[in-house]
Amino acid sequence: MRVGVLTGGGDCPGLNAVIRAVVRKGIKDYGYEFVGFRDGWRGPLEGDTMPLDRAAVSGILPRGGTILGSSRTNLMKIEGGVEKVKQNMAELNIDALVAIGGEDTLGVATQLHDQGVKVVGVPKTIDNDLNATDYTFGFDTAVNIATEAIDRLHTTAESHHRALVVEVMGRHAGWIALHSGMAAGANVILIPERPFDIHEVVAHVESRFQTNYAPILVVAEGAHPKDGQMELSTGEKDSFGHVRLGGIGQRLSEEIESRTGKEARSVVLGHVQRGGTPSAFDRVLATRLGVNAIEAVHDQEYGRMVGLQGTEIVRVDLSAATDKLKTVPSERFEEAEVFFG
Ligand code: F6P
């Protein structure tokens, strides 16, 4: 049996741990051979491969990024793309694929499976917004990085009597903002699921200034005000139609300055949240998912994805992961709201 492995979409701490686990388990217990496809769906589309043996995965467990490279190539937008992938897999004698990715990569995997490709998925995203898994690896690392940054911003904000707006990742779901904001004692947390009222935000900022502490606001990049309250700019789109975000933090700090007369600054954590070594939690989760993904291949359970439910790794249909996003429930946000202002 020869198995192809690919990583697609935004990179994420723990990807290398999954690749290592897939390969180590597959060689040790089943005697499989592996082929690495480079840069997400571009690899199978163009037949661009790299060796993926025991030596290739040695020493990669704590390394961030992905040794296979990644891209946001949308196979389904390329004419004849699916046929090309099937042809390349046949020429390379590849029997099955393990696709490690988020909403977009697994969406493509679902469609490929519908067209007869043998594929098993592994959920990945720092955003933690994939359905059918309680956590995705990379999220814990991103939250730890954001929490440390916010801890540091408290002291400088207080020294200068400024409001600090920290923009974190989270296009459609505010999990990183919610967890890092709660862990680091933010005074306001804004998430995409809850359009915010700028008057309430300003009231929280003012009441915080009155206590002589400086306000820290954590805002997910996809957060937005209630209709018509603030003008926002829109960016260019990628091949999956997602707008490139980034800018709400700056807009909010300008608005706070003009409405309160106090100084406000914004900090965009950006890709720092995705870089570097995974946390121990993410290494363990990624390793368990990798081991279970290759077991699913061995059991010929194609069209399935492995996920974490409670403390167990389970198998679900690939489509269950991408049918709908796992967003922050209102009860979770209300727990965080206790500490606003
Ligand atoms: O999906 C992961 C993610 O990090 C999102 O949080 C963010 O919106 C997006 O990727 C950023 O995309 P890019 O890597 O293309 O800048």
Side-chain angles (χ1 to χ4, degrees):
M1 179 98 164
R2 264 162 76 82
V3 181
V5 184
L6 65 90
T7 53
D11 72 332
C12 180
L15 281 169
N16 285 325
V18 180
I19 298 167
R20 166 182 175 268
V22 165
V23 171
R24 291 280 298 268
K25 167 84 179 169
I27 293 174
K28 187 173 182 206
D29 286 357
Y30 309 128
Y32 288 171
E33 280 177 27
F34 290 90
V35 173
F37 281 113
R38 292 184 202 271
D39 302 340
W41 292 115
R42 190 190 69 73
L45 183 70
E46 296 176 9
D48 190 358
T49 64
M50 61 175 271
L52 204 54
D53 55 13
R54 176 84 164 72
V57 299
S58 182
I60 66 171
L61 172 64
R63 265 178 62 189
T66 160
I67 58 166
L68 298 175
S70 193
S71 76
R72 294 191 188 273
T73 303
N74 187 350
L75 202 57
M76 296 302 158
K77 287 244 170 97
I78 296 164
E79 217 181 297
V82 174
E83 285 318 307
K84 196 86 192 102
V85 166
K86 285 184 176 174
Q87 189 187 325
N88 285 333
M89 283 178 68
E91 277 170 17
L92 292 160
N93 290 320
I94 292 181
D95 305 291
L97 282 178
V98 174
I100 312 164
E103 180 197 355
D104 299 328
T105 307
L106 297 182
V108 171
T110 308
Q111 294 184 60
L112 278 181
H113 174 256
D114 291 343
Q115 299 189 47
V117 177
K118 294 175 175 171
V119 55
V120 165
V122 179
K124 163 250 51 154
T125 170
I126 63 163
D127 298 345
N128 196 40
D129 59 1
L130 283 177
N131 208 25
T133 184
D134 289 351
Y135 285 102
T136 47
F137 66 84
F139 171 64
D140 182 67
T141 307
V143 168
N144 285 333
I145 293 167
T147 301
E148 194 200 327
I150 301 164
D151 282 347
R152 288 175 184 277
L153 291 168
H154 273 288
T155 56
T156 170
E158 277 160 22
S159 307
H160 290 268
H161 318 289
R162 283 174 180 151
L164 264 168
V165 181
V166 188
E167 183 181 307
V168 298
M169 282 185 168
R171 186 186 289 279
H172 306 295
W175 290 108
I176 297 177
L178 181 82
H179 278 229
S180 61
M182 204 178 209
N187 311 112
V188 175
I189 299 170
L190 304 176
I191 62 174
E193 294 88 334
R194 283 267 188 138
F196 61 85
D197 182 331
I198 188 67
H199 305 104
E200 280 174 19
V201 172
V202 166
H204 287 317
V205 167
E206 281 175 333
S207 88
R208 185 69 180 176
F209 269 127
Q210 275 161 19
T211 64
N212 271 335
Y213 289 104
I216 302 277
L217 299 88
V218 178
V219 52
E221 61 184 341
H224 47 89
K226 287 184 174 161
D227 282 347
Q229 287 195 336
M230 276 162 65
E231 250 177 55
L232 300 174
S233 56
T234 49
E236 54 191 84
K237 291 186 178 172
D238 69 15
S239 72
F240 283 92
H242 302 302
V243 173
R244 184 170 296 168
L245 296 172
I248 183 66
Q250 177 59 26
R251 273 295 292 115
L252 200 58
S253 68
E254 289 163 5
E255 205 69 25
I256 288 169
E257 274 201 352
S258 76
R259 287 175 187 251
T260 65
K262 300 269 193 190
E263 202 181 353
R265 296 288 174 91
S266 73
V267 177
V268 182
L269 295 187
H271 294 84
V272 169
Q273 293 158 95
R274 287 203 330 225
T277 191
S279 66
F281 179 91
D282 281 338
R283 293 181 200 186
V284 172
L285 176 57
T287 299
R288 293 183 69 203
L289 290 171
V291 164
N292 282 273
I294 201 66
E295 278 177 353
V297 169
H298 188 68
D299 295 342
Q300 302 195 22
E301 272 209 45
Y302 301 117
R304 306 275 277 169
M305 180 194 89
V306 288
L308 179 72
Q309 288 182 7
T311 56
E312 299 304 311
I313 305 293
V314 296
R315 293 175 193 170
V316 296
D317 283 344
L318 262 177
S319 53
T322 51
D323 276 354
K324 64 176 172 83
L325 280 185
K326 185 184 67 193
T327 50
V328 174
S330 19
E331 319 82 77
R332 289 295 311 274
F333 189 71
E334 281 150 22
E335 289 168 356
E337 266 182 325
V338 171
F339 305 94
F340 285 14

